Amino acid sequence: AQKVTQAQTEISVVEKEDVTLDCVYETRDTTYYLFWYKQPPSGELVFLIRRNSFDEQNEISGRYSWNFQKSTSSFNFTITASQVVDSAVYFCALSGSFSGSARQLTFGSGTQLTVLP
Amino acid sequence: GAGVSQSPSNKVTEKGKDVELRCDPISGHTALYWYRQRLGQGLEFLIYFQGNSAPDKSGLPSDRFSAERTGESVSTLTIQRTQQEDSAVYLCASSLTGNLAGGSSYEQYFGPGTRLTVT
């Protein structure tokens, strides 16, 4: 069975602070993908990043960066110099390679990030 | 281009009534997914369609839930004899392929959801 844990339910920071959202996953698949999605107050899920299990290189996109560590089964997400518009619920998700698990995403429970002006 | 669309955006129904939710995937996307999101929680997988293959219904919570998709087009999710615990946002997503080997085409793009309230 697959599982994604986002231990931080809510985080509040002041604008321009850096913030890291934690994600820990469990899977027996050797090949899998990890994702981060953003859900702003409007409710629509926005795809942020996909990372496959063979690629442990960290990735940076503007103010966003992701740290994938297979050894600790973690895929953490850092926002640098946070802005009020970053306020949203962020979901980490996992999909696997076995039949039945390859297709759907298993989501964490989400982290509500509030960036205060 | 147009994203995933869902209708209605909001639905209020009485307990025991049937409801039908609609999803229009991105044109050309062969894979379509339904998820449920209860208030303050993450998304739960319900059902997956890939082209003309038999759907993966492993996430449907009960036999009151069913879904159909014709070819690679519109899908409808039907909930019969609704219960109050069915109240949630129902999200639809589509991707170019549901095959993990599809690489970057595997990303799922979500619609805005249908908020279902059962009174």
Side-chain angles (χ1 to χ4, degrees), chain A residues 8-33:
Chain A
Q8 304 150 307
T9 307
E10 295 181 25
I11 299 177
S12 185
V13 298
V14 177
E15 204 169 20
K16 297 184 183 176
E17 286 185 359
D18 298 348
V19 59
T20 296
L21 310 181
D22 297 335
C23 173
V24 175
Y25 63 91
E26 296 175 29
T27 180
R28 283 179 282 183
D29 295 345
T30 53
T31 302
Y32 51 89
Y33 281 109

PDB file of all heavy atoms in Angstrom, chain A residues 8-33:
ATOM      1  N   GLN A   8       2.791  18.502   8.725  1.00  0.00           N
ATOM      2  CA  GLN A   8       2.450  19.893   9.055  1.00  0.00           C
ATOM      3  C   GLN A   8       1.046  20.198   8.541  1.00  0.00           C
ATOM      4  O   GLN A   8       0.825  20.249   7.342  1.00  0.00           O
ATOM      5  CB  GLN A   8       3.451  20.857   8.410  1.00  0.00           C
ATOM      6  CG  GLN A   8       4.895  20.603   8.757  1.00  0.00           C
ATOM      7  CD  GLN A   8       5.810  21.040   7.614  1.00  0.00           C
ATOM      8  OE1 GLN A   8       5.621  20.636   6.480  1.00  0.00           O
ATOM      9  NE2 GLN A   8       6.812  21.851   7.911  1.00  0.00           N
ATOM     10  N   THR A   9       0.124  20.395   9.436  1.00  0.00           N
ATOM     11  CA  THR A   9      -1.242  20.686   9.024  1.00  0.00           C
ATOM     12  C   THR A   9      -1.369  22.138   8.578  1.00  0.00           C
ATOM     13  O   THR A   9      -1.988  22.442   7.556  1.00  0.00           O
ATOM     14  CB  THR A   9      -2.213  20.420  10.178  1.00  0.00           C
ATOM     15  OG1 THR A   9      -2.008  19.108  10.660  1.00  0.00           O
ATOM     16  CG2 THR A   9      -3.648  20.589   9.727  1.00  0.00           C
ATOM     17  N   GLU A  10      -0.780  23.027   9.376  1.00  0.00           N
ATOM     18  CA  GLU A  10      -0.850  24.455   9.070  1.00  0.00           C
ATOM     19  C   GLU A  10       0.499  25.103   9.365  1.00  0.00           C
ATOM     20  O   GLU A  10       1.147  24.781  10.351  1.00  0.00           O
ATOM     21  CB  GLU A  10      -1.914  25.145   9.936  1.00  0.00           C
ATOM     22  CG  GLU A  10      -3.326  24.701   9.672  1.00  0.00           C
ATOM     23  CD  GLU A  10      -4.330  25.450  10.548  1.00  0.00           C
ATOM     24  OE1 GLU A  10      -4.015  26.563  10.966  1.00  0.00           O
ATOM     25  OE2 GLU A  10      -5.415  24.907  10.779  1.00  0.00           O
ATOM     26  N   ILE A  11       0.884  26.011   8.482  1.00  0.00           N
ATOM     27  CA  ILE A  11       2.095  26.801   8.702  1.00  0.00           C
ATOM     28  C   ILE A  11       1.753  28.252   8.417  1.00  0.00           C
ATOM     29  O   ILE A  11       1.085  28.556   7.417  1.00  0.00           O
ATOM     30  CB  ILE A  11       3.248  26.370   7.770  1.00  0.00           C
ATOM     31  CG1 ILE A  11       3.643  24.916   7.998  1.00  0.00           C
ATOM     32  CG2 ILE A  11       4.451  27.277   7.965  1.00  0.00           C
ATOM     33  CD1 ILE A  11       4.724  24.434   7.040  1.00  0.00           C
ATOM     34  N   SER A  12       2.246  29.123   9.276  1.00  0.00           N
ATOM     35  CA  SER A  12       2.035  30.556   9.075  1.00  0.00           C
ATOM     36  C   SER A  12       3.392  31.252   9.091  1.00  0.00           C
ATOM     37  O   SER A  12       4.184  31.026  10.011  1.00  0.00           O
ATOM     38  CB  SER A  12       1.130  31.104  10.171  1.00  0.00           C
ATOM     39  OG  SER A  12       0.814  32.449   9.933  1.00  0.00           O
ATOM     40  N   VAL A  13       3.674  32.049   8.077  1.00  0.00           N
ATOM     41  CA  VAL A  13       4.937  32.788   8.013  1.00  0.00           C
ATOM     42  C   VAL A  13       4.639  34.226   7.628  1.00  0.00           C
ATOM     43  O   VAL A  13       3.552  34.550   7.134  1.00  0.00           O
ATOM     44  CB  VAL A  13       5.917  32.171   6.990  1.00  0.00           C
ATOM     45  CG1 VAL A  13       6.275  30.746   7.387  1.00  0.00           C
ATOM     46  CG2 VAL A  13       5.355  32.214   5.576  1.00  0.00           C
ATOM     47  N   VAL A  14       5.628  35.052   7.837  1.00  0.00           N
ATOM     48  CA  VAL A  14       5.521  36.449   7.419  1.00  0.00           C
ATOM     49  C   VAL A  14       6.169  36.583   6.048  1.00  0.00           C
ATOM     50  O   VAL A  14       7.163  35.914   5.749  1.00  0.00           O
ATOM     51  CB  VAL A  14       6.204  37.375   8.443  1.00  0.00           C
ATOM     52  CG1 VAL A  14       6.165  38.820   7.972  1.00  0.00           C
ATOM     53  CG2 VAL A  14       5.537  37.233   9.802  1.00  0.00           C
ATOM     54  N   GLU A  15       5.587  37.415   5.251  1.00  0.00           N
ATOM     55  CA  GLU A  15       6.094  37.622   3.892  1.00  0.00           C
ATOM     56  C   GLU A  15       7.615  37.799   3.897  1.00  0.00           C
ATOM     57  O   GLU A  15       8.183  38.419   4.787  1.00  0.00           O
ATOM     58  CB  GLU A  15       5.425  38.863   3.298  1.00  0.00           C
ATOM     59  CG  GLU A  15       5.391  38.878   1.783  1.00  0.00           C
ATOM     60  CD  GLU A  15       4.480  39.981   1.240  1.00  0.00           C
ATOM     61  OE1 GLU A  15       4.197  40.940   1.977  1.00  0.00           O
ATOM     62  OE2 GLU A  15       4.076  39.863   0.075  1.00  0.00           O
ATOM     63  N   LYS A  16       8.232  37.198   2.868  1.00  0.00           N
ATOM     64  CA  LYS A  16       9.672  37.226   2.618  1.00  0.00           C
ATOM     65  C   LYS A  16      10.426  36.161   3.414  1.00  0.00           C
ATOM     66  O   LYS A  16      11.621  35.968   3.157  1.00  0.00           O
ATOM     67  CB  LYS A  16      10.297  38.605   2.868  1.00  0.00           C
ATOM     68  CG  LYS A  16       9.750  39.684   1.931  1.00  0.00           C
ATOM     69  CD  LYS A  16      10.444  41.006   2.130  1.00  0.00           C
ATOM     70  CE  LYS A  16       9.807  42.076   1.233  1.00  0.00           C
ATOM     71  NZ  LYS A  16      10.383  43.412   1.440  1.00  0.00           N
ATOM     72  N   GLU A  17       9.774  35.493   4.334  1.00  0.00           N
ATOM     73  CA  GLU A  17      10.427  34.380   5.021  1.00  0.00           C
ATOM     74  C   GLU A  17      10.474  33.183   4.079  1.00  0.00           C
ATOM     75  O   GLU A  17       9.641  33.026   3.197  1.00  0.00           O
ATOM     76  CB  GLU A  17       9.659  33.975   6.282  1.00  0.00           C
ATOM     77  CG  GLU A  17       9.808  34.932   7.424  1.00  0.00           C
ATOM     78  CD  GLU A  17       9.115  34.413   8.678  1.00  0.00           C
ATOM     79  OE1 GLU A  17       8.523  33.325   8.632  1.00  0.00           O
ATOM     80  OE2 GLU A  17       9.163  35.112   9.700  1.00  0.00           O
ATOM     81  N   ASP A  18      11.462  32.315   4.303  1.00  0.00           N
ATOM     82  CA  ASP A  18      11.510  31.045   3.598  1.00  0.00           C
ATOM     83  C   ASP A  18      10.691  30.029   4.390  1.00  0.00           C
ATOM     84  O   ASP A  18      10.621  30.092   5.617  1.00  0.00           O
ATOM     85  CB  ASP A  18      12.954  30.546   3.489  1.00  0.00           C
ATOM     86  CG  ASP A  18      13.851  31.492   2.700  1.00  0.00           C
ATOM     87  OD1 ASP A  18      13.315  32.422   2.037  1.00  0.00           O
ATOM     88  OD2 ASP A  18      15.081  31.311   2.750  1.00  0.00           O
ATOM     89  N   VAL A  19      10.087  29.089   3.668  1.00  0.00           N
ATOM     90  CA  VAL A  19       9.293  28.070   4.346  1.00  0.00           C
ATOM     91  C   VAL A  19       9.478  26.737   3.633  1.00  0.00           C
ATOM     92  O   VAL A  19       9.546  26.680   2.411  1.00  0.00           O
ATOM     93  CB  VAL A  19       7.795  28.475   4.399  1.00  0.00           C
ATOM     94  CG1 VAL A  19       7.220  28.691   3.013  1.00  0.00           C
ATOM     95  CG2 VAL A  19       6.985  27.453   5.169  1.00  0.00           C
ATOM     96  N   THR A  20       9.571  25.674   4.418  1.00  0.00           N
ATOM     97  CA  THR A  20       9.713  24.319   3.865  1.00  0.00           C
ATOM     98  C   THR A  20       8.535  23.466   4.278  1.00  0.00           C
ATOM     99  O   THR A  20       8.197  23.389   5.461  1.00  0.00           O
ATOM    100  CB  THR A  20      11.021  23.663   4.335  1.00  0.00           C
ATOM    101  OG1 THR A  20      12.127  24.403   3.813  1.00  0.00           O
ATOM    102  CG2 THR A  20      11.121  22.230   3.833  1.00  0.00           C
ATOM    103  N   LEU A  21       7.919  22.836   3.278  1.00  0.00           N
ATOM    104  CA  LEU A  21       6.799  21.930   3.506  1.00  0.00           C
ATOM    105  C   LEU A  21       7.317  20.508   3.383  1.00  0.00           C
ATOM    106  O   LEU A  21       7.951  20.142   2.386  1.00  0.00           O
ATOM    107  CB  LEU A  21       5.702  22.177   2.467  1.00  0.00           C
ATOM    108  CG  LEU A  21       5.259  23.640   2.288  1.00  0.00           C
ATOM    109  CD1 LEU A  21       4.148  23.720   1.257  1.00  0.00           C
ATOM    110  CD2 LEU A  21       4.838  24.247   3.601  1.00  0.00           C
ATOM    111  N   ASP A  22       7.048  19.712   4.417  1.00  0.00           N
ATOM    112  CA  ASP A  22       7.590  18.354   4.468  1.00  0.00           C
ATOM    113  C   ASP A  22       6.641  17.340   3.827  1.00  0.00           C
ATOM    114  O   ASP A  22       5.417  17.468   3.922  1.00  0.00           O
ATOM    115  CB  ASP A  22       7.844  17.941   5.918  1.00  0.00           C
ATOM    116  CG  ASP A  22       8.889  18.833   6.592  1.00  0.00           C
ATOM    117  OD1 ASP A  22       9.733  19.408   5.870  1.00  0.00           O
ATOM    118  OD2 ASP A  22       8.847  18.948   7.833  1.00  0.00           O
ATOM    119  N   CYS A  23       7.235  16.335   3.222  1.00  0.00           N
ATOM    120  CA  CYS A  23       6.457  15.238   2.651  1.00  0.00           C
ATOM    121  C   CYS A  23       7.266  13.954   2.818  1.00  0.00           C
ATOM    122  O   CYS A  23       8.423  13.876   2.383  1.00  0.00           O
ATOM    123  CB  CYS A  23       6.172  15.484   1.174  1.00  0.00           C
ATOM    124  SG  CYS A  23       5.394  14.085   0.319  1.00  0.00           S
ATOM    125  N   VAL A  24       6.662  12.961   3.429  1.00  0.00           N
ATOM    126  CA  VAL A  24       7.281  11.653   3.587  1.00  0.00           C
ATOM    127  C   VAL A  24       6.357  10.629   2.946  1.00  0.00           C
ATOM    128  O   VAL A  24       5.136  10.708   3.107  1.00  0.00           O
ATOM    129  CB  VAL A  24       7.502  11.310   5.079  1.00  0.00           C
ATOM    130  CG1 VAL A  24       8.024   9.896   5.233  1.00  0.00           C
ATOM    131  CG2 VAL A  24       8.475  12.300   5.701  1.00  0.00           C
ATOM    132  N   TYR A  25       6.921   9.699   2.223  1.00  0.00           N
ATOM    133  CA  TYR A  25       6.079   8.740   1.504  1.00  0.00           C
ATOM    134  C   TYR A  25       6.493   7.306   1.800  1.00  0.00           C
ATOM    135  O   TYR A  25       7.617   7.047   2.254  1.00  0.00           O
ATOM    136  CB  TYR A  25       6.142   9.005  -0.009  1.00  0.00           C
ATOM    137  CG  TYR A  25       7.517   8.830  -0.602  1.00  0.00           C
ATOM    138  CD1 TYR A  25       7.930   7.603  -1.115  1.00  0.00           C
ATOM    139  CD2 TYR A  25       8.430   9.885  -0.617  1.00  0.00           C
ATOM    140  CE1 TYR A  25       9.203   7.437  -1.629  1.00  0.00           C
ATOM    141  CE2 TYR A  25       9.699   9.735  -1.131  1.00  0.00           C
ATOM    142  CZ  TYR A  25      10.084   8.516  -1.638  1.00  0.00           C
ATOM    143  OH  TYR A  25      11.351   8.347  -2.142  1.00  0.00           O
ATOM    144  N   GLU A  26       5.566   6.397   1.549  1.00  0.00           N
ATOM    145  CA  GLU A  26       5.827   4.967   1.680  1.00  0.00           C
ATOM    146  C   GLU A  26       5.322   4.282   0.429  1.00  0.00           C
ATOM    147  O   GLU A  26       4.193   4.511  -0.010  1.00  0.00           O
ATOM    148  CB  GLU A  26       5.080   4.379   2.890  1.00  0.00           C
ATOM    149  CG  GLU A  26       5.514   4.908   4.230  1.00  0.00           C
ATOM    150  CD  GLU A  26       4.640   4.352   5.351  1.00  0.00           C
ATOM    151  OE1 GLU A  26       4.127   3.228   5.207  1.00  0.00           O
ATOM    152  OE2 GLU A  26       4.467   5.064   6.364  1.00  0.00           O
ATOM    153  N   THR A  27       6.150   3.424  -0.136  1.00  0.00           N
ATOM    154  CA  THR A  27       5.744   2.637  -1.283  1.00  0.00           C
ATOM    155  C   THR A  27       6.647   1.429  -1.405  1.00  0.00           C
ATOM    156  O   THR A  27       7.817   1.491  -1.025  1.00  0.00           O
ATOM    157  CB  THR A  27       5.786   3.457  -2.585  1.00  0.00           C
ATOM    158  OG1 THR A  27       5.369   2.634  -3.684  1.00  0.00           O
ATOM    159  CG2 THR A  27       7.181   4.001  -2.876  1.00  0.00           C
ATOM    160  N   ARG A  28       6.114   0.347  -1.940  1.00  0.00           N
ATOM    161  CA  ARG A  28       6.943  -0.834  -2.208  1.00  0.00           C
ATOM    162  C   ARG A  28       7.387  -0.869  -3.670  1.00  0.00           C
ATOM    163  O   ARG A  28       8.157  -1.735  -4.069  1.00  0.00           O
ATOM    164  CB  ARG A  28       6.177  -2.108  -1.865  1.00  0.00           C
ATOM    165  CG  ARG A  28       6.119  -2.378  -0.364  1.00  0.00           C
ATOM    166  CD  ARG A  28       5.343  -3.618  -0.042  1.00  0.00           C
ATOM    167  NE  ARG A  28       3.910  -3.382  -0.112  1.00  0.00           N
ATOM    168  CZ  ARG A  28       3.000  -4.295   0.192  1.00  0.00           C
ATOM    169  NH1 ARG A  28       3.357  -5.494   0.559  1.00  0.00           N
ATOM    170  NH2 ARG A  28       1.715  -4.025   0.110  1.00  0.00           N
ATOM    171  N   ASP A  29       6.894   0.079  -4.442  1.00  0.00           N
ATOM    172  CA  ASP A  29       7.298   0.141  -5.844  1.00  0.00           C
ATOM    173  C   ASP A  29       8.740   0.605  -5.946  1.00  0.00           C
ATOM    174  O   ASP A  29       9.193   1.444  -5.152  1.00  0.00           O
ATOM    175  CB  ASP A  29       6.405   1.111  -6.622  1.00  0.00           C
ATOM    176  CG  ASP A  29       4.968   0.630  -6.689  1.00  0.00           C
ATOM    177  OD1 ASP A  29       4.730  -0.555  -6.391  1.00  0.00           O
ATOM    178  OD2 ASP A  29       4.105   1.434  -7.048  1.00  0.00           O
ATOM    179  N   THR A  30       9.449   0.106  -6.947  1.00  0.00           N
ATOM    180  CA  THR A  30      10.808   0.582  -7.177  1.00  0.00           C
ATOM    181  C   THR A  30      10.811   1.755  -8.151  1.00  0.00           C
ATOM    182  O   THR A  30      11.757   2.529  -8.199  1.00  0.00           O
ATOM    183  CB  THR A  30      11.694  -0.541  -7.736  1.00  0.00           C
ATOM    184  OG1 THR A  30      11.047  -1.105  -8.890  1.00  0.00           O
ATOM    185  CG2 THR A  30      11.890  -1.637  -6.693  1.00  0.00           C
ATOM    186  N   THR A  31       9.746   1.840  -8.922  1.00  0.00           N
ATOM    187  CA  THR A  31       9.581   2.967  -9.834  1.00  0.00           C
ATOM    188  C   THR A  31       8.319   3.715  -9.435  1.00  0.00           C
ATOM    189  O   THR A  31       7.260   3.111  -9.308  1.00  0.00           O
ATOM    190  CB  THR A  31       9.443   2.480 -11.291  1.00  0.00           C
ATOM    191  OG1 THR A  31      10.587   1.714 -11.646  1.00  0.00           O
ATOM    192  CG2 THR A  31       9.309   3.678 -12.231  1.00  0.00           C
ATOM    193  N   TYR A  32       8.449   4.989  -9.242  1.00  0.00           N
ATOM    194  CA  TYR A  32       7.285   5.771  -8.825  1.00  0.00           C
ATOM    195  C   TYR A  32       7.536   7.235  -9.152  1.00  0.00           C
ATOM    196  O   TYR A  32       8.645   7.639  -9.489  1.00  0.00           O
ATOM    197  CB  TYR A  32       6.997   5.584  -7.326  1.00  0.00           C
ATOM    198  CG  TYR A  32       8.188   5.807  -6.421  1.00  0.00           C
ATOM    199  CD1 TYR A  32       8.492   7.065  -5.915  1.00  0.00           C
ATOM    200  CD2 TYR A  32       9.011   4.735  -6.066  1.00  0.00           C
ATOM    201  CE1 TYR A  32       9.585   7.255  -5.093  1.00  0.00           C
ATOM    202  CE2 TYR A  32      10.112   4.923  -5.244  1.00  0.00           C
ATOM    203  CZ  TYR A  32      10.399   6.179  -4.754  1.00  0.00           C
ATOM    204  OH  TYR A  32      11.493   6.365  -3.946  1.00  0.00           O
ATOM    205  N   TYR A  33       6.450   8.002  -9.085  1.00  0.00           N
ATOM    206  CA  TYR A  33       6.534   9.439  -9.300  1.00  0.00           C
ATOM    207  C   TYR A  33       6.015  10.170  -8.066  1.00  0.00           C
ATOM    208  O   TYR A  33       5.079   9.708  -7.407  1.00  0.00           O
ATOM    209  CB  TYR A  33       5.667   9.870 -10.501  1.00  0.00           C
ATOM    210  CG  TYR A  33       6.278   9.616 -11.847  1.00  0.00           C
ATOM    211  CD1 TYR A  33       5.783   8.623 -12.680  1.00  0.00           C
ATOM    212  CD2 TYR A  33       7.340  10.394 -12.300  1.00  0.00           C
ATOM    213  CE1 TYR A  33       6.319   8.406 -13.925  1.00  0.00           C
ATOM    214  CE2 TYR A  33       7.887  10.181 -13.550  1.00  0.00           C
ATOM    215  CZ  TYR A  33       7.383   9.190 -14.356  1.00  0.00           C
ATOM    216  OH  TYR A  33       7.915   8.975 -15.591  1.00  0.00           O
TER     217      TYR A  33
END
